[in-house]
Amino acid sequence: MEQQESTLKCEIVQVGFALCVASVPILEKRAGLWLRCFSVLKASVTPANALILCIVLMSFASDKAWLTFLAFSAIGSGLFWLARRKQGRSNGVESV
């Protein structure tokens, strides 16, 4: 049982890392750094390699780890949606 819990924790960390790596290009584009970083090959190869590694490691995850990941993703998405909705109301704009 203890080994399953440590495996589950490891999988959650790997999924979180994969999400962080996948979000880097989006954040760079929003910050206006996309063209400068895109021109440098190393800047795009490192996150791509990290993402591929995370996907390979996640392929060994158990069903329980995936269900836990999906549950936390659903909770996080719901909280994000509520926060966006509240922010839109405070700005006088109704978001759908």
Side-chain angles (χ1 to χ4, degrees), residues 57-71:
L57 292 174
M58 288 179 347
S59 69
F60 297 106
S62 66
D63 292 340
K64 185 177 179 181
W66 280 108
L67 289 175
T68 304
F69 165 69
L70 291 174

Side-chain angles (χ1 to χ4, degrees), residues 16-36:
F17 181 72
L19 292 173
C20 289
V21 169
S23 68
V24 168
I26 296 169
L27 294 174
E28 287 175 345
K29 189 173 183 180
R30 287 184 183 169
L33 302 173
W34 181 252
L35 293 176
R36 283 184 271 163

Side-chain angles (χ1 to χ4, degrees), residues 17-94:
F17 181 72
L19 292 173
C20 289
V21 169
S23 68
V24 168
I26 296 169
L27 294 174
E28 287 175 345
K29 189 173 183 180
R30 287 184 183 169
L33 302 173
W34 181 252
L35 293 176
R36 283 184 271 163
C37 291
F38 188 69
S39 64
V40 179
L41 186 59
K42 283 194 286 186
S44 60
V45 170
T46 302
N49 285 337
L51 187 59
I52 290 169
L53 177 65
C54 286
I55 290 171
V56 168
L57 292 174
M58 288 179 347
S59 69
F60 297 106
S62 66
D63 292 340
K64 185 177 179 181
W66 280 108
L67 289 175
T68 304
F69 165 69
L70 291 174
F72 280 116
S73 294
I75 292 168
S77 296
L79 291 173
F80 177 76
W81 180 76
L82 287 173
R84 291 277 303 225
R85 189 173 172 104
K86 185 176 180 180
Q87 181 184 12
R89 285 186 182 163
S90 67
N91 291 339
V93 176
E94 182 67 28

